[in-house]
Amino acid sequence: MSSASLSSRTPVAPLSLPVLLLMAVAAGLSAGSNYFNQPLLHSIAVHLRVSDAAAALTVTLGQVAYACGLLLLVPLGDKLERRGLAVGLMLLASIGLFMSGFATSLGLLIAGTVMTGLFSVAAQTLVPMAATLSDPQRSGRAVGLMMSGLLTGILAARSVAGLLSAVGGWNTVYRVAGVLMVAVASVLWFVLPSSRNPVPQSYARTLRSLGTLLRKHPRLRSRALIGALTFASVSVLFSTMALMLSGPVHGMNDVQIGLVGLVGVAGALMASVAGRLGDRGWVQQVTAVSVLLLALGWVFLWLGGASLGFFLLGMLVVDIALPGVHISNQNVIYKLEPEARSRINAVYMTSYFAGAACGSALGALAWRHGGWGMACALGVGLAALAGGALCLDQRLVARRR
């Protein structure tokens, strides 16, 4: 029998807390790498002598590359050895970061951004891996811890990029992140156990199975819809807050706007709480409360158009609500078919980030036609639709009972 077969059948001790924390850092670093450019677009345009619109193209292409990675690379977690896959993806993402960090032209920056976006889906291979290798009674806690790291990375990326740009230029954050990515990936290789699906299948069959899983599991569809609508609502905020905060009422610069984003980090840390509550069987309640908090947060954000205090409060509430919904969703979908967790995660996360892309586009449109008030109305509307999707999910639960 091959060593691969032996490793797939030999029981593995549950992951320790220090290893889970390191995986959470890796997930945050990987996911956050896609958000460095957002507060730096003007500096990039000036340095590379291109228009702001051309520099903004890197944001769109990075999101498209990430979506492609979710569809094409994340399902490999159910086929390949998971430790090698995660570490390999992180090392490839680090190459993209270095390309961006030493870019002397827009073309090279775009190439680095696309490469980073494509391979930074390493974060989405680590989350189901943590659920698989953790104590089954504490898988929700493990997922919550991972998502705390991932969301903290996303929310802190803009602030870190803005601060490092003030110290050493716009490309400093890419160089620092590249070094950190290599270092964390190297440590993960030595501390993570070897793990693979005991019944792997061909890559073509793996991709075809994504549609099969979506048809087979109604709650995968309902929870994917809830996630997409929730992240769409929050993306309306991300796509318009800088425009509002830099306007005549608040008059903030890029570094100040980046620091405002740190408020959301406190909310991201609540992801582990949502995971613990999910382990106790309170998934539906956590989701409902989180959706209500999302809607309430938009009320505070609307008042924040004239008061920075209300804006900070609204942002904190929204960033508590987002991981609450997301962790609850993952708590549900990972139990649908444990041997297909990576593929189920690929389906869910593709829907999740598709919702984000739509929310960003709709947010920009709302701002253009109605300013901050229209953007807030859109955010509340998307939160209400997420509540409707939750009612559908609740019916599925009742029907199963």
Side-chain angles (χ1 to χ4, degrees):
M1 184 179 293
S2 68
S3 59
S5 299
L6 284 170
S7 65
S8 66
R9 297 186 184 188
T10 303
V12 178
L15 296 176
S16 65
L17 181 59
V19 173
L20 280 172
L21 288 172
L22 181 63
M23 293 174 71
V25 170
L29 181 60
S30 298
S33 297
N34 291 299
Y35 295 85
F36 291 146
N37 54 4
Q38 291 186 5
L40 306 175
L41 294 178
H42 182 67
S43 297
I44 290 172
V46 171
H47 185 265
L48 298 181
R49 297 177 182 175
V50 298
S51 66
D52 286 345
L57 182 63
T58 61
V59 176
T60 302
L61 293 177
Q63 290 177 338
V64 171
Y66 194 81
C68 291
L70 287 170
L71 275 175
L72 301 176
L73 299 178
V74 172
L76 290 173
D78 288 335
K79 174 177 173 60
L80 303 179
E81 197 279 311
R82 298 184 181 103
R83 178 185 62 176
L85 175 63
V87 170
L89 291 175
M90 289 182 68
L91 292 176
L92 289 169
S94 72
I95 295 175
L97 288 169
F98 286 127
M99 289 172 63
S100 298
F102 292 95
T104 55
S105 67
L106 181 63
L108 186 57
L109 177 62
I110 287 176
T113 299
V114 168
M115 188 167 186
T116 300
L118 183 65
F119 296 114
S120 62
V121 295
Q124 302 303 333
T125 66
L126 288 168
V127 176
M129 184 179 183
T132 299
L133 297 179
S134 298
D135 183 345
Q137 301 300 319
R138 296 186 175 182
S139 62
R141 172 177 172 269
V143 171
L145 183 61
M146 291 294 297
M147 290 309 304
S148 289
L150 190 150
L151 291 172
T152 299
I154 291 175
L155 294 170
R158 300 173 183 85
S159 303
V160 172
L163 293 172
L164 289 180
S165 176
V167 173
W170 68 268
N171 48 16
T172 304
V173 67
Y174 291 103
R175 298 175 184 179
V176 171
V179 173
L180 290 176
M181 190 79 79
V182 173
V184 174
S186 301
V187 177
L188 280 179
W189 175 258
F190 290 103
V191 302
L192 286 179
S194 178
S195 168
R196 70 164 64 238
N197 190 333
V199 190
Q201 54 188 0
S202 70
Y203 182 58
R205 186 176 178 184
T206 296
L207 292 181
R208 286 196 302 269
S209 69
L210 299 181
T212 302
L213 289 168
L214 193 60
R215 292 191 299 271
K216 179 179 178 182
H217 298 292
R219 292 202 75 193
L220 176 56
R221 297 194 296 270
S222 64
R223 284 287 167 167
L225 180 59
I226 294 170
L229 290 168
T230 303
F231 205 14
S233 179
V234 177
S235 294
V236 173
L237 170 62
F238 289 161
S239 65
T240 57
M241 61 175 280
L243 299 173
M244 192 274 289
L245 292 174
S246 63
V249 176
H250 300 296
M252 292 186 174
N253 58 35
D254 289 346
V255 174
Q256 291 171 326
I257 293 172
L259 290 175
V260 167
L262 290 176
V263 174
V265 175
L269 297 177
M270 293 299 293
S272 61
V273 176
R276 292 173 186 269
L277 293 175
D279 285 338
R280 297 178 182 177
W282 295 352
V283 171
Q284 298 299 107
Q285 295 89 331
V286 171
T287 310
V289 170
S290 298
V291 171
L292 288 173
L293 284 176
L294 179 60
L296 178 62
W298 273 109
V299 175
F300 292 137
L301 289 168
W302 174 67
L303 295 172
S307 168
L308 182 59
F310 272 117
F311 182 86
L312 295 176
L313 177 59
M315 190 165 184
L316 176 61
V317 172
V318 165
D319 286 327
I320 289 174
L322 179 62
V325 174
H326 186 55
I327 298 304
S328 299
N329 288 342
Q330 291 187 310
N331 193 296
V332 171
I333 65 173
Y334 285 164
K335 294 176 181 177
L336 296 175
E337 198 166 326
E339 66 276 12
R341 277 177 173 155
S342 290
R343 284 170 288 156
I344 283 177
N345 192 51
V347 172
Y348 172 77
M349 292 306 301
T350 301
S351 302
Y352 195 65
F353 279 92
C358 291
S360 297
L362 290 172
L365 187 64
W367 175 268
R368 192 177 305 124
H369 290 284
W372 184 242
M374 182 69 75
C376 292
L378 174 62
V380 170
L382 289 169
L385 290 175
L390 178 60
C391 291
L392 172 63
D393 182 73
Q394 184 60 39
R395 272 192 229 162
L396 294 173
V397 174
R399 188 180 306 167
R400 186 192 304 182
R401 289 174 179 169

PDB file of all heavy atoms in Angstrom, residues 94 97 231 293 334 344:
ATOM      1  N   SER A  94       2.747  34.344  -3.345  1.00  0.00           N
ATOM      2  CA  SER A  94       3.861  35.225  -2.949  1.00  0.00           C
ATOM      3  C   SER A  94       4.625  35.729  -4.174  1.00  0.00           C
ATOM      4  O   SER A  94       5.108  36.869  -4.188  1.00  0.00           O
ATOM      5  CB  SER A  94       4.806  34.489  -1.993  1.00  0.00           C
ATOM      6  OG  SER A  94       5.564  33.501  -2.671  1.00  0.00           O
ATOM      7  N   LEU A  97       2.776  38.642  -5.394  1.00  0.00           N
ATOM      8  CA  LEU A  97       3.003  39.806  -4.536  1.00  0.00           C
ATOM      9  C   LEU A  97       4.341  40.474  -4.849  1.00  0.00           C
ATOM     10  O   LEU A  97       4.428  41.708  -4.907  1.00  0.00           O
ATOM     11  CB  LEU A  97       2.958  39.387  -3.066  1.00  0.00           C
ATOM     12  CG  LEU A  97       1.577  39.034  -2.504  1.00  0.00           C
ATOM     13  CD1 LEU A  97       1.703  38.384  -1.128  1.00  0.00           C
ATOM     14  CD2 LEU A  97       0.693  40.281  -2.412  1.00  0.00           C
ATOM     15  N   PHE A 231     -23.127  39.557   1.781  1.00  0.00           N
ATOM     16  CA  PHE A 231     -21.862  40.158   1.357  1.00  0.00           C
ATOM     17  C   PHE A 231     -22.097  41.262   0.322  1.00  0.00           C
ATOM     18  O   PHE A 231     -21.334  42.234   0.256  1.00  0.00           O
ATOM     19  CB  PHE A 231     -20.926  39.093   0.797  1.00  0.00           C
ATOM     20  CG  PHE A 231     -19.468  39.453   0.880  1.00  0.00           C
ATOM     21  CD1 PHE A 231     -19.024  40.506   1.667  1.00  0.00           C
ATOM     22  CD2 PHE A 231     -18.528  38.720   0.173  1.00  0.00           C
ATOM     23  CE1 PHE A 231     -17.679  40.832   1.746  1.00  0.00           C
ATOM     24  CE2 PHE A 231     -17.172  39.034   0.243  1.00  0.00           C
ATOM     25  CZ  PHE A 231     -16.748  40.096   1.025  1.00  0.00           C
ATOM     26  N   LEU A 293     -28.940  42.670  12.702  1.00  0.00           N
ATOM     27  CA  LEU A 293     -27.863  43.609  13.005  1.00  0.00           C
ATOM     28  C   LEU A 293     -27.364  44.294  11.738  1.00  0.00           C
ATOM     29  O   LEU A 293     -27.019  45.489  11.758  1.00  0.00           O
ATOM     30  CB  LEU A 293     -26.705  42.884  13.692  1.00  0.00           C
ATOM     31  CG  LEU A 293     -26.901  42.515  15.161  1.00  0.00           C
ATOM     32  CD1 LEU A 293     -25.706  41.705  15.662  1.00  0.00           C
ATOM     33  CD2 LEU A 293     -27.070  43.770  16.016  1.00  0.00           C
ATOM     34  N   TYR A 334     -20.899  22.613   5.741  1.00  0.00           N
ATOM     35  CA  TYR A 334     -19.842  21.627   5.946  1.00  0.00           C
ATOM     36  C   TYR A 334     -20.381  20.303   6.471  1.00  0.00           C
ATOM     37  O   TYR A 334     -19.703  19.278   6.401  1.00  0.00           O
ATOM     38  CB  TYR A 334     -18.782  22.170   6.901  1.00  0.00           C
ATOM     39  CG  TYR A 334     -17.864  23.202   6.282  1.00  0.00           C
ATOM     40  CD1 TYR A 334     -17.077  24.015   7.084  1.00  0.00           C
ATOM     41  CD2 TYR A 334     -17.789  23.371   4.904  1.00  0.00           C
ATOM     42  CE1 TYR A 334     -16.240  24.974   6.524  1.00  0.00           C
ATOM     43  CE2 TYR A 334     -16.957  24.315   4.344  1.00  0.00           C
ATOM     44  CZ  TYR A 334     -16.197  25.117   5.146  1.00  0.00           C
ATOM     45  OH  TYR A 334     -15.355  26.065   4.602  1.00  0.00           O
ATOM     46  N   ILE A 344     -17.915  21.825  -1.810  1.00  0.00           N
ATOM     47  CA  ILE A 344     -19.051  22.589  -1.287  1.00  0.00           C
ATOM     48  C   ILE A 344     -18.612  24.011  -0.952  1.00  0.00           C
ATOM     49  O   ILE A 344     -19.320  24.987  -1.234  1.00  0.00           O
ATOM     50  CB  ILE A 344     -19.645  21.882  -0.055  1.00  0.00           C
ATOM     51  CG1 ILE A 344     -20.489  20.679  -0.515  1.00  0.00           C
ATOM     52  CG2 ILE A 344     -20.482  22.831   0.790  1.00  0.00           C
ATOM     53  CD1 ILE A 344     -21.067  19.852   0.616  1.00  0.00           C
TER      54      ILE A 344
END
